[in-house]
Amino acid sequence: AEKVLGYDLLSLCLEGPQDELDRTRHCQPAVRLMCGLGSVSVQVVANCVAAAGYSVGEFAALVFAGAMGFAEALYAVKVRAEAMQKASEAVPSGMLSVIGRREANYKFACLEARKHCESLGIENPVCEISNYLFPDSRVIAGHLQALEFLQENARKYYFTRTKMLPVSGAFHTRLMEPAVEPLAEVLKSIEIEKPLVCVYSNVDGKKYMHSKHIRKLLVKQVVSPVMWEQTMHAVYERQRGTEFPYTYEVGPGKQLGAVLKKCNLKAWKQYNHVDALEDEEAAKT
């Protein structure tokens, strides 16, 4: 990884500084790809039937499934992360996690937030759903002024909780369009095979079919909302009475497990979390 990235990723992960690790250009290769794959290596799943990755974690899922080589995927993520970092720095933007009541109309709220931005003189403002997490939970991304408007008017839109996410930009919106071409170019040069196990796309929640399909949707994913709730429904769809498979979340944190619990409680009962660092500590003791 150090040879591909051009810096000491292990040292950055273990020693920081935190503000550098939080930067998009470092966080995506470190947290989403390296830690995910590092955790996979300590958990043998002999009869894996499907894989999915959240946002840039989709690259880790594709490497795991044999569709992409490790070094090539890491280089693609490096290019993606640097381009998204640059796009983020061009416009003050961010992401807002929202939990709403059943009456909440997220798209209407985004429309009014965009109108508010226009009243401030902002041309072509962005405020849209960027992540579908679980029922009654969304991430909204766009110009900071729009997100501040939504927080100030949360009660009007039946939002019960709002929280700004510690990210540098409005990922999975059209504000990331400058990152599309660099990623598309690098993916053209990478050999991509049909996955050995089913891998589900963030863009539409459906299985990848072939290499051209993977290239197309990985690029589209940068500016499209992450359909994670829809993906969870697709992954665990089965006939009544059929047992649910074991599910392993790999890498730091258990956020996807928490989302799965909200989407499908029966599937979550077979959920396990695997963290590379936790496993390493256990081996030492």
Side-chain angles (χ1 to χ4, degrees), residues 10 38 69 72 97 142 151 154 164 197 201 231 246 261 266 280:
L10 179 61
E72 290 82 1
S97 176
Q151 284 191 296
M164 288 295 296
V197 297
S201 168
T231 300
Y246 287 99
K261 187 176 182 180
K266 290 183 178 179
E280 186 176 306

Side-chain angles (χ1 to χ4, degrees), residues 22 31 77 88 116 147 166 189 196 203 206 244 246 277:
D22 286 342
V31 178
V77 169
S88 299
H116 169 72
L147 304 184
S189 66
L196 299 174
V203 173
K206 298 178 181 178
F244 285 96
Y246 287 99
L277 292 179

Side-chain angles (χ1 to χ4, degrees), residues 27 75 80 103 126-127 134 167 179 210 236 255 262 271 279:
C27 180
Y75 181 70
R80 179 186 189 273
E103 304 96 315
V126 172
C127 183
F134 55 85
V167 296
H210 47 73
Y236 295 103
Q255 295 91 336
K262 297 284 187 178
Y271 163 86
D279 189 83

